[in-house]
Structure formats: structure tokens, C-alpha cells
Amino acid sequence: MTLTWEMLQDRALRGDPAGLLTLLIRAPEQERLAIAGDVEAGIRKSDRDAWWRSESAPGYANPNPGYALAVIGCMPTAARAAALLTRGNMRTWATIGAPRLTEVARFRQIPWQGELGRRIAERLPARDADGNLWPVISALLQAGDAEPPITENVVRAWHAHLVSVRTHRRDRSAPPPLSMRLRDDPHRDVLLPGLFEFAGLGADMSGGSWNETTGSWSNEPRLPGIIAYLIGEGILERKTYVDLTVDRLLRGGKPNELRPFALLHDALEPTVDELSSHALDYARLLPEAPGAVATLAQKALRTVDDAGRLELETLLDTSGPTLVRKEKTLVKAQLTWLERVARREPARAGEVLETVAAAFGHPALDVQERALVLIGKQIAALDPGTVARLADASAVLAGDLPARAAGLFGVAAPVTGDEVPELPPAAPPAAMPPPITTAAELAEELVVLVHERSAIHWERVLAGLVTLYATEGSATLRAALQPVLDRYPGHFAESSWNRTEPLLHLGVAIHSVIDPGRSGGLWGRLVTSVRTAWQDGRRGGHDSALSATPDGVLGLRVAELATQLTRTMVPLIMATPTHVTGSVDPSVLLERLRRAEAEGWQPWPVDFEQALLRLPRRTDPGVVAGATALTSPAGRQFAAWLTRGGLPDPVTRRFEQTPDTGRRDHWARDVRRVVAAMSPARDGGLRLERQLLTLAPAAHPEAYPDTFHESGDVLTMVLPHHREAAAAWVLPELAAMADQEQRAGAEVLPLLAECSGPVGPALAYGVAYGLGARHQENRIAAGDAFLTLAGRPEPFAAAVGAALTDLGADGVLKLSRVVPALTDVHRAGASVALWEVLAAALPGLLPAAPRGLPDLLELSTQVARAVRADSRIAGLAEIAARDGSSRLVKEARRLQTVLGH
């Protein structure tokens, strides 16, 4: 029986590797080589996803392991074999295991096993999805007496297999300890140094692993300790790994990437000689490395200095930048060290203390004060020139320290400038991008919308579709848009998960133009949903294709477009914004309505209501006069809207959601959340109005809300001049950034700030929650919103301060997160508004004394001095008058001094 590819494929598909192996072994070498081309062609044609489809197909096995046997058994060269085994449709082939593959190779006596191992290793992906791949590569390399290529991906795969507890032994016995696995690994000496050489591998080493000795999971990286143990046993060379460790720390990286090497450094316990040989390296690490590594370097340098082997110039050069690091513990330790050196070497005390003065530029007042006190202890021994230079350096001191420094150095106290720092007015919102003018441009924008569903892209696509249908017709749009629909069928064709997606409704609208009748059933449901929304003022509900939340207004508009586009021949959309906030210029809407009257058509009703909701609060009298001359129903409604002042502000109220004691999860039982309830200020009004302005929160907080994570800009564009209403809807998600440590959601805060309208409890609490968010990027977004609000005329600071008091007094917001965010606001120039926030927040926070309050008082001192504040803070004097020297009392006294009370 002659061997054929079909025979091998049949056994592979049936999951019979033993039978396939028998066929290969029994066939002559000539037959195996003769079908190499057929094997190659068959594998190239095979189903790319067969490896996972087999899991849900009875009687159908993953063919990749069998195909791998066929490759090893038939290919004439390593190059052709590696090309097949590394194809995308050959994932998981290595589950066949190394013994069977090497058995075929040994039987054929092929000389290129080592070359095959190297070729496969060179093509390893960055993150190997097949955990069985490295054992096969290793077996091939050993069989061919070849060394592995030293690349990041190879070292990563080797390390991942090394620390894994999985074993392929048939007896299922426990794997040997990690120390034994590393000691006996055939590739250890070649690949272990690669863990130090490739920067991306530090994070791989920092994870925990299973400890076979204790039978438990260890959160600590185990490899550093094992490397140190093998060095102690003489298996690894100590000098090599000390040098590698210090060199890896020098090359830097994120803290988690450097942590394993810092642990190894500690485990090695370098001698004084070893530390001295790397003194300049530690001097580079101290001012620049992450905190834990800098602390390690500081300890090493102090050991060298205590041994009398550290040059003073090296210490002074590295101390200057170290003394302005944010880690106060590290900085204070450096100051203590410098104080000892100054006393030890009185002849050079002036140089040392001038270096100490670098700490005057530290952002923390207690660090500045410590440096000043240290200098004051030794100032009597300094020459006049040194004292003068120290006095000059003290010009950067903040809070109450400038006056103290003036007394110490015998100079005049500095006088703050006449101008209070103030932000310039915020720039007006940018204009919308120009309209789409060609079908090709519309197709491009549609593709962009699929990938980035921003409100601006939505508005351009809707306006472009309506205008181009009126001017270019169906044929032109069909030629441009049909390829886009074909390319993204999952977005524009109905499925169980996208029935309320505006993108699906847009697909219906496009099909109604280029292929009428294709979406008849869905088109009919959209007609019903639009009719219900218009007649009852209600979106959402059972079987509705529309969302009930405000961002659902976009879905309603798209649905209206889909049902009206080919029926009414309206040539333009009324609600297309003129600015990126969603605002519509009244003069532009006036011209649109004049055109409608001149051409004899009426705007679509939902589109027109959205246009009215986007009008600003104040309108030029000339536009109002022009509106009163309109005669169409829409024109008269426009004139009445302008005359009556537009949409009244809704009523928003603080609403406290209490912990749900009936829930098992820890979060729901312990956290209170403040959100906003909202109701319209009037009965009647627009059909969209009541649902947009009515919000009744539940009694208990919602866990991990995410309604607006991807549509914050769509939400703010609905009511661009009533940002308090939009903030009320999105507030639960902003709160979750702080009390549930969610990452998404803060992008909406700067958008709300760029809109207009009074700031009420919803936006104030939203900003407060953002300032106390878990993730830094969210606090930055909240800071950006704060800066924008500070440049606008609407008052907001007192409301934000009250929110910070409410949420900070009992620890709902962590002041340790809030203070750095407010510090950035101060440095950006919004000090006047920030002082209003602090002056409103401190009276309520002082009695509660939450954790982090001293830091907030320290910031308040800096801000108060910058704006020359003279207000009285209730409760501050009482704390400042307490006995003792706790940091809270010291910072209260400092602020009291700056305020002049």
C-alpha cells in the first residue's frame, strides 16, 4: 500500500496519531519524500480554525498534532518543515509532544533536527499561545546538539516553561522544585543571562508562581532567590550575575519590571568591594531610578561611604537631583546623610549645605523646612559668601518658610507680587470640521465611524448622507458605500447583540437608498419605535430598537433618518452642530429654516427638536428678529423658542445611595455613593424633554456602571448648554472611578467642562469623584476639566469644595489621591479657583481629620500664599493651638501663619 497524503490526513482528522505514526514508520523513505509536496499543499489548504472548531464538533479532532508528525516524517529539509510548522493554521501542533516527534526524526535519521529547532525558535511569537512549544524546541535542539538563538521571544518561552509546574510525565508525579529545574536545565547558561539583557522580560519574572515545596501559591517572584542560591552553591558565577543585576537596574524600566532584579540584588548581599566597584552606577540610580531601586542605591552608597570609599564629589553630584524627588522618605534620609557628612568634614561643610539647599525646591513644605532647619544648625560656621548663596537659594521656599529663611540669613523678607495668579479665559469651543462634499469622502468617514464612534464622526456622516442623497442620488452612493457595508457586515447587518445599535440603524438608512427592501422587517420596527417616541415622548422599553438613555437620542435621529430619507427628500439636517461641543449657532439654524421655507419642505420633527436643544442660552437680537419673520410651523416654533429663552434648567438634587446590606460582596455592603436626581422645571415642552430631564436613582449604588463609557461625547452633544443634566446621567460612572476603581469614564469630564450652563451638584460631585479616582489618567482628566471650568464665568469652586467635604470626611474619597490632582491644578495656574475649593472644603474636613488631611493643609498653605488669601477657616485655629508636634498640628499652624491669623 503506497503512502498518500489522504491517508495521513484521515488519521490526523480522526485524532489517531499512533496510527499516523505507524504509517510513517512502515513506509519507505522514498515514499515519504515523494509525498512531501502533497503534505505541504494539504496543510496550506487546511482550515485555519480547525484546531478550535474540533472542540465543539463530535467526532472531529484537532488535526494539527497529526499534521506535525506528517511534516517531520516527510519533509526533506529543515527550512520546509519549519515553514509549515510555523503557519498560522498550525497552532497547537506541539501538543503531540516531543517524544513522538523526535521518534519520527530518529527513525528517519534526519540530520537537521537542531536546525529545525533553531528555525522554529527564531519564529516564536512575542506571546507564545502554545505552552507545549518550548519542550519540543528544546528536544530538537538537544537531539541536533544545537544552541538556541538568544532572542527575547526565545528567552521568554524558555522562562515561561521553566517556572511552570506543568509536567508531561506519564506517571503524573510532582515536578521537581524550581531550583532543581533551573540547575539541570540544558540551556541555562545560554538563556539565563537573557533575562537580564532583554528589558521586556522583567515583568515576566515579577509574577508569582506555585511553590512545590510548600504546595501553595507564592506572590513573590521565586527566581531571584533561586539564582542567588545557585550562586551560593557555586553553580553560577557570582561576579557575572552581580554585574548583570546592576547593569539591568541601570537600564531602567517600570517598577514591576525592575522588582525581580532589586530582589536579586538584596538576596546577593553584595560585599563592600562589590558595592565600591559599582559606586558610580549606584550614583546614577539614586536620582533617576524608581523609588525601590533608588532606595537600594542609597543604601549601597551609604555602605560605601561608611567604609570611607565614596568620593565626596560623587555624593554631592548625585544628591542635588535626589533632593527634589517626590519620595519624601528617600529625600529625608538623604538629608540626614548629608548632615552627618557636613559634621564629619567641617572643612567642606559649606559645599555640603549648599547641596542641601537643593531641597528648597522640593514640592513638600515639610521637606523644605527640614532642609532649612538642618542648615540653620550649622550656619554659624559658614563664611559670608556661602550664607549669601544659601539666602539666594531660599527664594524658592513656599508657605511660611520665606519669612523664616529671611530671619535665618539676615535678609529682607520677600514680598509677594502685586498680581494674583489667574488663568486666562478658556478658549471658545472649536468649530466643527467642514461638511462632507463627495461620496468617496462619505465612505471614508463611514469607515472611521465604524472604528471610532465619536459624536463628531456621527454628525458628519448623517449630514453627508442626507445632503449627498439629495444632490448625487442613489447610484453614486451605491458605488461608494456598498463596499463599506460588505466589508463590515457584522455592524450593518442585524444580529442578536446589535438591535439597538445606531450603526445598525444607519445601515438600514443606507440600504434604503442603495438597496430598497433589504431591511424591510427592521425598517418596520424602526418606524414603530420612532412613532412611539414622537407620540409618547418615550424611547426604549420592551422590543424597542432605541435606548432610553440620553445618548439614545442619536439612535432616534438615525432611526428617523432611516424611515424618512427616501420618503420626504429633505436635503439637509437641522441639528448638525456648528461647534464640537454640539452647539448650533442660532444664525446658522435661521438660514437653514429660511432655505426650508424657500424650497417648500419641513424639517424632520426629532431632528428639529434636537436642533432647538443645541441652541445657546443667549441669542443675538438680530437673529431673534429674523426668526419672527418666518412663517412655517418650524419657523414659528424657532422664534417662540428664542423669545422664551430656550430650555429651562432642570432641577438637580444631591441623592445619597446607601450601602446594600443584603449583598454578599464587600463593596456593596460598605460603600455609600452620592449621585443626582433630576426633574424638568416645567410640564409640557418638547417631546424629547421629559425623558432627557427625568432621572430617579435607585436606593443602592449600581455595581460597575458602564452605560456611557463609549458614548460620553454623544451624551454631552445632546444638551451642550445644560451640562448639569448630562452630568447627572453620567455621575454614577464617575463615582465608580473612585469607589470601585473603574478605569473608564473620565473622558467625559473635560467635555462637560467645555459645554455651558450652571454647575450644580451633579457636575460638582463628578469633578470631585474624578479628582479622587483610582487611576492617574482619570485624575488628569478631572484636572483638565477643573482648569477649563476655572477659565469660564460660571461659579463652580464652592460646589466642588462642598462635594470634597462630603466625600472626603468619611473616606469615600481618598485625600491621598485628591491632593496630587489639586497640586497639578495649582501648578497649572488655577490657584484662585483652587483656593475657593479649599476654603469651602476645609471647615468640614478639619473636624473629621481624614487620612491625608495634613497633605491637604500643606497644599492649602502654598495656594493661600500664592493668592495672598486672608480668609478665616473655621476650626483651623483650634487645631493650630493644640499641644504637640504632630504633622496635622504643624501644617495647621503653618496655614494659620500664612493667613495672618
Side-chain angles (χ1 to χ4, degrees):
M1 182 173 59
T2 303
L3 185 66
T4 66
W5 160 246
E6 287 73 20
M7 295 165 61
L8 299 177
Q9 185 183 39
D10 176 66
R11 281 160 177 76
L13 292 172
R14 287 193 280 122
D16 183 15
L20 193 151
L21 185 60
T22 300
L23 286 175
L24 289 170
I25 292 176
R26 289 179 178 177
E29 179 71 3
Q30 293 84 352
E31 288 188 13
R32 290 192 289 264
L33 292 174
I35 66 167
D38 295 337
V39 171
E40 199 168 38
I43 291 177
R44 292 183 185 278
K45 294 177 182 177
S46 63
D47 185 357
R48 182 181 181 90
D49 298 325
W51 65 275
W52 66 265
R53 287 180 180 167
S54 61
E55 297 179 2
S56 59
Y60 184 77
N62 177 7
N64 287 352
Y67 288 168
L69 285 176
V71 169
I72 302 296
C74 299
M75 289 301 111
T77 66
R80 290 176 67 179
L84 291 173
L85 293 175
T86 55
R87 286 179 57 82
N89 62 350
M90 282 294 289
R91 296 179 64 182
T92 73
W93 63 268
T95 55
I96 191 66
R100 278 180 171 151
L101 289 173
T102 54
E103 182 180 356
V104 175
R106 284 196 306 270
F107 182 82
R108 288 187 64 197
Q109 297 183 349
I110 57 177
W112 38 262
Q113 292 186 64
E115 181 187 355
L116 177 61
R118 285 187 62 89
R119 286 178 177 271
I120 297 173
E122 288 168 351
R123 301 186 188 187
L124 275 170
R127 292 291 176 184
D128 179 24
D130 183 0
N132 300 296
L133 198 54
W134 177 254
V136 175
I137 293 173
S138 179
L140 290 169
L141 291 170
Q142 291 181 74
D145 195 24
E147 294 287 357
I150 305 175
T151 67
E152 182 173 349
N153 293 351
V154 168
V155 179
R156 173 175 283 118
W158 169 77
H159 169 263
H161 185 264
L162 175 71
V163 299
S164 171
V165 298
R166 289 181 298 177
T167 179
H168 303 294
R169 295 180 177 183
R170 293 182 179 179
D171 61 7
R172 299 183 181 275
S173 60
L178 179 57
S179 58
M180 293 179 60
R181 299 203 299 275
L182 180 59
R183 182 197 65 193
D184 299 335
D185 190 281
H187 309 293
R188 180 199 66 215
D189 292 335
V190 175
L191 296 180
L192 182 58
L195 291 174
F196 298 77
E197 294 169 9
F198 299 108
L201 299 180
D204 292 16
M205 294 176 61
S206 66
S209 62
W210 184 261
N211 190 321
E212 304 87 355
T213 304
T214 63
S216 61
W217 180 264
S218 172
N219 290 322
E220 291 293 317
R222 297 180 57 215
L223 200 56
I226 290 171
I227 292 174
Y229 168 77
L230 295 179
I231 290 172
E233 294 292 308
I235 296 171
L236 299 175
E237 184 183 7
R238 179 178 178 88
K239 183 179 186 308
T240 297
Y241 283 92
V242 169
D243 292 346
L244 283 172
T245 300
V246 175
D247 180 67
R248 178 62 190 87
L249 293 173
L250 272 173
R251 284 185 284 120
K254 297 178 180 178
N256 70 312
E257 295 172 344
L258 297 179
R259 182 168 175 255
F261 307 102
L263 292 173
L264 176 57
H265 185 279
D266 290 343
L268 290 174
E269 298 182 347
T271 64
V272 172
D273 287 340
E274 290 169 333
L275 294 173
S276 298
S277 68
H278 289 285
L280 294 179
D281 296 329
Y282 295 121
R284 288 173 56 193
L285 288 171
L286 180 53
E288 299 175 0
V293 178
T295 300
L296 172 156
Q298 187 182 61
K299 179 181 177 182
L301 287 172
R302 290 195 67 166
T303 301
V304 176
D305 185 47
D306 290 343
R309 299 169 68 173
L310 183 66
E311 296 288 340
L312 181 58
E313 286 74 14
T314 300
L315 173 60
L316 298 182
D317 288 345
T318 197
S319 291
T322 299
L323 291 175
V324 292
R325 290 185 61 122
K326 65 179 180 180
E327 301 92 346
K328 293 200 291 186
T329 300
L330 182 76
V331 173
K332 290 178 179 179
Q334 195 73 11
L335 287 172
T336 300
W337 182 10
L338 289 170
E339 182 179 21
R340 288 177 50 197
V341 172
R343 295 186 183 282
R344 187 182 70 202
E345 302 192 32
R348 304 188 67 178
E351 296 176 65
V352 176
L353 294 180
E354 285 189 59
T355 301
V356 167
F360 291 168
H362 196 279
L365 293 180
D366 57 336
V367 171
Q368 296 180 21
E369 181 180 35
R370 186 163 186 154
L372 186 63
V373 170
L374 189 158
I375 291 171
K377 292 178 180 178
Q378 302 190 41
I379 194 170
L382 300 179
D383 61 85
T386 301
V387 173
R389 288 190 293 273
L390 291 172
D392 291 341
S394 69
V396 298
L397 290 170
D400 63 330
L401 297 176
R404 292 173 58 180
L408 177 65
F409 298 126
V411 296
V415 179
T416 56
D418 294 332
E419 295 297 324
V420 177
E422 188 173 354
L423 280 178
M432 279 284 288
I436 294 172
T437 57
T438 67
E441 186 183 358
L442 176 60
E444 292 176 1
E445 190 75 358
L446 183 58
V447 171
V448 173
L449 180 62
V450 170
H451 295 282
E452 183 187 347
R453 298 178 202 179
S454 75
I456 292 175
H457 294 316
W458 268 114
E459 296 295 344
R460 296 191 76 225
V461 167
L462 296 183
L465 179 60
V466 172
T467 300
L468 290 173
Y469 177 60
T471 58
E472 302 294 330
S474 299
T476 301
L477 290 178
R478 182 183 303 110
L481 302 183
Q482 186 65 59
V484 180
L485 300 184
D486 294 340
R487 182 178 176 183
Y488 301 101
H491 295 285
F492 296 111
E494 184 178 10
S495 64
S496 59
W497 59 268
N498 70 349
R499 289 173 181 165
T500 61
E501 288 290 325
L503 207 57
L504 174 64
H505 306 163
L506 180 60
V508 175
I510 296 173
H511 281 301
S512 71
V513 171
I514 67 176
D515 189 11
R518 176 166 176 176
S519 301
L522 179 57
W523 186 87
R525 291 199 298 276
L526 290 183
V527 171
T528 301
S529 296
V530 172
R531 183 184 301 119
T532 300
W534 186 246
Q535 292 177 349
D536 302 340
R538 175 176 59 82
R539 304 179 312 282
H542 182 65
D543 290 336
S544 175
L546 305 174
S547 169
T549 52
D551 58 327
V553 172
L554 171 65
L556 175 60
R557 291 175 58 212
V558 179
E560 181 183 59
L561 184 152
T563 59
Q564 297 290 333
L565 184 58
T566 60
R567 300 168 63 188
T568 58
M569 290 302 294
V570 168
L572 62 85
I573 289 181
M574 291 287 169
T576 300
T578 53
H579 296 83
V580 295
T581 58
S583 180
V584 174
D585 189 312
S587 64
V588 173
L589 184 55
L590 174 61
E591 291 306 315
R592 292 172 184 172
L593 290 169
R594 283 173 173 168
R595 176 182 170 182
E597 287 195 5
E599 296 176 357
W601 51 271
Q602 277 290 306
W604 296 329
V606 175
D607 172 48
F608 184 57
E609 283 206 353
Q610 174 64 100
L612 295 179
L613 292 173
R614 287 176 165 172
L615 292 172
R617 294 165 175 269
R618 295 181 179 84
T619 305
D620 183 90
V623 175
V624 177
T628 59
L630 297 174
T631 58
S632 66
R636 292 195 299 271
Q637 185 178 8
F638 174 55
W641 184 266
L642 296 180
T643 302
R644 295 169 186 169
L647 179 68
D649 288 313
V651 178
T652 55
R653 303 174 300 280
R654 175 188 177 279
F655 185 92
E656 183 167 319
Q657 295 178 313
T658 58
D660 188 352
T661 56
R663 294 277 295 275
R664 291 185 177 182
D665 52 293
H666 172 79
W667 175 84
R669 293 199 313 269
D670 296 344
V671 170
R672 72 177 181 94
R673 178 181 289 168
V674 177
V675 293
M678 180 170 57
S679 58
R682 67 181 180 188
D683 293 328
L686 303 180
R687 286 172 172 81
L688 294 177
E689 190 173 321
R690 177 157 295 277
Q691 197 167 5
L692 286 173
L693 304 181
T694 302
L695 182 59
H700 306 301
E702 177 186 358
Y704 306 104
D706 62 354
T707 303
F708 302 104
H709 278 6
E710 298 180 357
S711 60
D713 58 342
V714 173
L715 168 68
T716 58
M717 268 200 179
V718 175
L719 295 166
H721 300 288
H722 294 78
R723 54 187 169 192
E724 178 71 4
W729 283 98
V730 80
L731 183 54
E733 293 172 45
L734 299 175
M737 297 188 308
D739 62 35
Q740 288 184 299
E741 302 190 349
Q742 284 197 150
R743 185 177 292 274
E747 298 85 356
V748 74
L749 279 171
L751 300 177
L752 290 168
E754 289 180 1
C755 294
S756 66
V759 175
L763 185 52
Y765 273 88
V767 171
Y769 274 120
L771 293 169
R774 164 66 177 82
H775 299 285
Q776 184 178 10
E777 62 267 28
N778 295 337
R779 298 196 295 272
I780 291 173
D784 290 343
F786 190 107
L787 294 174
T788 300
L789 290 170
R792 297 288 172 85
E794 298 92 347
F796 77 101
V800 172
L804 287 175
T805 298
D806 181 14
L807 300 173
D810 61 356
V812 172
L813 284 188
K814 295 179 174 61
L815 294 184
S816 59
R817 298 173 182 172
V818 173
V819 171
L822 293 179
T823 300
D824 290 341
V825 166
H826 171 49
R827 292 173 181 167
S831 303
V832 173
L834 178 56
W835 177 249
E836 292 183 48
V837 170
L838 295 170
L842 285 174
L845 291 174
L846 288 171
R851 186 174 183 179
L853 181 59
D855 292 326
L856 188 66
L857 286 171
E858 178 185 342
L859 173 62
S860 301
T861 299
Q862 297 179 6
V863 177
R865 184 172 186 272
V867 302
R868 302 197 305 279
D870 60 358
S871 53
R872 187 176 298 275
I873 304 297
L876 181 65
E878 289 78 2
I879 295 178
R882 292 178 185 174
D883 294 333
S885 58
S886 68
R887 184 152 179 258
L888 176 62
V889 172
K890 289 176 65 176
E891 296 300 340
R893 290 170 182 167
R894 198 192 307 276
L895 177 57
Q896 187 80 344
T897 299
V898 169
L899 292 176
H901 301 306

